[in-house]
Amino acid sequence: MLTGKVAIVTGAGRGIGREIALALAADGATVIVNYNGSKEAADETVSQITADGGTAEAVQCNVSDFAASEAFVKKVLEKYKKVDILVNNAGVTRDNLIMRMSEEDYDAVLDTNLKGAFNMIKHLSRSFIKQRSGKIINISSVSGIRGNAGQSNYSASKAGLIGLTKSVAKELASRGINVNAVAPGLIDTDMTRALSDDAKKQLAASIPMGKIGSPSDVAKLVLFLAGEGSDYITGQVISVDGGLAI
């Protein structure tokens, strides 16, 4: 159980982030639901948590902004005195073929997906080191492992998260801090729901298990990595993809 623990989940207004926030809260953690754009979505996540008897608060912050992330972390630490779990989930896509991809689209994806995780880890690391404990979970992607045509920016950001995970894990392991990455495959989110039924069938056929995953599949793994059961696991990249990356 995560009773008494404080967790920050970035990009927790919808999709995988929301499911992770719900899972952590259901296990007893107080969850800081971070969002950038949609306050309404974040408030809905908080409402679901509180309706189920959990504790949560929505806090706006653009994690790609170094100074804003620092202020966000400071605010949370002042109010809750500690953070035990950090889930770097915030992510955006700006898909295009490399020859058509603009510099702005490349930068936007790297800034949120990769620099955002760096910012949050950087600003929380001192607190984690001081308390000699902490769980950092970075949400990467199967695209960061095998690449994906039309997603050079997204794949680069998610591959970068894997490198960041392994490096920070080595730096912080001696202080009792675990740093791991989760690499989801095709998951039933707003993005996949927008696809046609035929497209979904084709995608499912490319997965050894023959089906698209759900956000709860990812959340269950994050919950494990956030708890005591993962105390001797660090620097790992665990795929939740039905075998897609095999």
Side-chain angles (χ1 to χ4, degrees):
M1 292 292 289
L2 299 177
T3 305
K5 303 290 187 183
V6 178
I8 293 176
V9 183
T10 67
R14 55 171 63 87
I16 291 172
R18 173 179 286 180
E19 204 67 32
I20 290 168
L22 293 172
L24 296 176
D27 206 55
T30 294
V31 180
I32 312 304
V33 175
N34 162 257
Y35 70 97
N36 182 30
S38 178
K39 182 178 188 301
E40 184 180 356
D43 286 342
E44 191 176 321
T45 302
V46 171
S47 294
Q48 282 187 241
I49 289 170
T50 54
D52 291 334
T55 306
E57 176 187 359
V59 180
Q60 193 279 334
C61 175
N62 178 357
V63 295
S64 71
D65 184 317
F66 187 85
S69 299
E70 186 174 26
F72 170 39
V73 167
K74 186 178 179 183
K75 178 181 177 181
V76 173
L77 288 174
E78 283 177 354
K79 181 170 181 178
Y80 295 95
K81 309 305 178 190
K82 65 168 185 170
V83 172
D84 302 286
I85 301 155
L86 168 64
V87 182
N88 286 309
N89 169 76
V92 297
T93 56
R94 299 283 189 276
D95 297 351
N96 219 329
L97 296 174
I98 191 75
M99 59 190 242
R100 294 178 186 156
M101 186 175 289
S102 68
E103 180 183 11
E104 290 75 18
D105 283 349
Y106 182 85
D107 288 346
V109 171
L110 269 289
D111 283 350
T112 296
N113 301 8
L114 183 54
K115 192 187 173 203
F118 161 79
N119 288 341
M120 293 301 296
I121 294 170
K122 157 87 176 168
H123 297 314
L124 272 167
S125 59
R126 192 177 300 276
S127 174
F128 282 141
I129 289 168
K130 189 176 179 182
Q131 68 196 27
R132 299 191 71 82
S133 67
K135 304 280 190 173
I136 299 171
I137 301 141
N138 298 319
I139 307 301
S140 180
S141 168
V142 66
S143 296
I145 296 171
R146 52 182 276 177
N148 199 27
Q151 286 194 315
S152 57
N153 49 2
Y154 184 77
S155 297
S157 72
K158 294 301 188 176
L161 268 179
I162 290 172
L164 179 68
T165 297
K166 291 175 180 288
S167 296
V168 176
K170 286 186 175 183
E171 290 183 23
L172 301 181
S174 65
R175 305 303 180 99
I177 300 157
N178 304 75
V179 190
N180 291 290
V182 174
L186 286 160
I187 304 295
D188 183 21
T189 60
D190 291 344
M191 191 163 59
T192 53
R193 284 186 207 117
L195 299 171
S196 68
D197 288 341
D198 283 346
K200 287 180 187 176
K201 284 178 183 176
Q202 286 181 355
L203 288 170
S206 70
I207 301 168
M209 292 190 77
K211 61 180 181 179
I212 294 172
S214 72
S216 67
D217 291 323
V218 181
K220 287 170 191 171
L221 176 57
V222 173
L223 182 61
F224 168 73
L225 292 173
E228 291 180 359
S230 68
D231 282 353
Y232 199 55
I233 300 172
T234 199
Q236 300 306 303
V237 183
I238 306 173
S239 296
V240 185
D241 65 358
L244 183 60
I246 294 172

